[in-house]
Amino acid sequence: MSFFKDIKGLLERKSEIVYYLILTLSIFSSFFDVMSLGSVGVLIGVILKPSFLVDYTHIYLVNEFQKLTHSEQIYFGCFVILFLFFIKTLFVFFVFFLQSRFTYKVKKELSTKLFNSYLRKDYLFHTKNNPAVLWRNINEEVDYTSQYLELFSK
């Protein structure tokens, strides 16, 4: 639960919603991975043993699939697998695009907040702290925070 509290503390409301959207889309992406890889096993089963799906004829699509000739089943299976992998690739590309854009915006947002907080500090704070350390904090700590967010969305 502390992870969700960390997200609320780090991100603005809009960014938080986008983060949860990316997290949900990543779960769907995993589902597409399993579905596309599982379909390869079914195709191999159909190629090696044409009566592979005979136990599942109570399912309408399997029943219609069984009406095809063996070579048509193979062609149709290959087409379905190519289509699934194509859709999966487009979906994964879209999710990675959103993740990259989100990471860029979070880095920009957090570094701007941190920089502005340093600008609002009094003179005494700046005399006690090395500017290189402050600059390193802006760059490295923001990177660590964005990596922390990315870790849970992949």
Side-chain angles (χ1 to χ4, degrees):
M1 280 313 248
S2 68
F3 171 72
F4 295 111
K5 288 179 185 176
D6 291 345
I7 292 202
K8 280 189 178 276
L10 286 174
L11 303 176
E12 294 177 2
R13 182 69 180 149
K14 184 179 178 183
S15 296
E16 184 181 344
I17 291 170
V18 171
Y19 181 74
Y20 289 129
L21 173 71
I22 290 172
L23 195 61
T24 305
L25 291 176
S26 294
I27 292 169
F28 281 116
S29 176
S30 298
F31 172 73
F32 277 132
D33 284 339
V34 169
M35 194 171 72
S36 60
L37 290 175
S39 65
V40 172
V42 172
L43 179 65
I44 291 172
V46 168
I47 291 172
L48 295 177
K49 184 178 175 188
S51 62
F52 177 71
L53 297 173
V54 92
D55 294 336
Y56 304 102
T57 54
H58 61 281
I59 301 173
Y60 176 74
L61 291 175
V62 174
N63 195 21
E64 293 298 315
F65 184 75
Q66 289 290 351
K67 293 178 183 177
L68 300 173
T69 66
H70 184 63
S71 62
E72 288 174 336
Q73 288 177 351
I74 293 172
Y75 288 132
F76 183 75
C78 289
F79 174 76
V80 167
I81 286 177
L82 287 176
F83 181 73
L84 283 174
F85 274 93
F86 179 72
I87 295 298
K88 182 191 84 140
T89 302
L90 289 178
F91 188 77
V92 168
F93 177 77
F94 175 70
V95 171
F96 282 149
F97 173 76
L98 283 179
Q99 283 177 339
S100 299
R101 206 170 96 192
F102 172 76
T103 302
Y104 172 76
K105 285 183 180 182
V106 165
K107 283 182 179 182
K108 181 181 170 187
E109 180 182 304
L110 292 177
S111 60
T112 301
K113 280 183 183 179
L114 191 57
F115 182 71
N116 286 335
S117 73
Y118 285 153
L119 285 179
R120 286 189 221 103
K121 298 284 184 180
D122 59 349
Y123 178 74
L124 190 59
F125 172 81
H126 290 286
T127 58
K128 290 182 180 178
N129 292 297
N130 186 351
V133 172
L134 299 178
W135 185 250
R136 186 193 68 212
N137 286 346
I138 290 173
N139 288 326
E140 289 184 8
E141 297 302 323
V142 168
D143 282 341
Y144 293 147
T145 304
S146 65
Q147 289 173 2
Y148 174 71
L149 291 173
E150 284 180 22
L151 176 69
F152 289 101
S153 67
K154 289 187 178 183

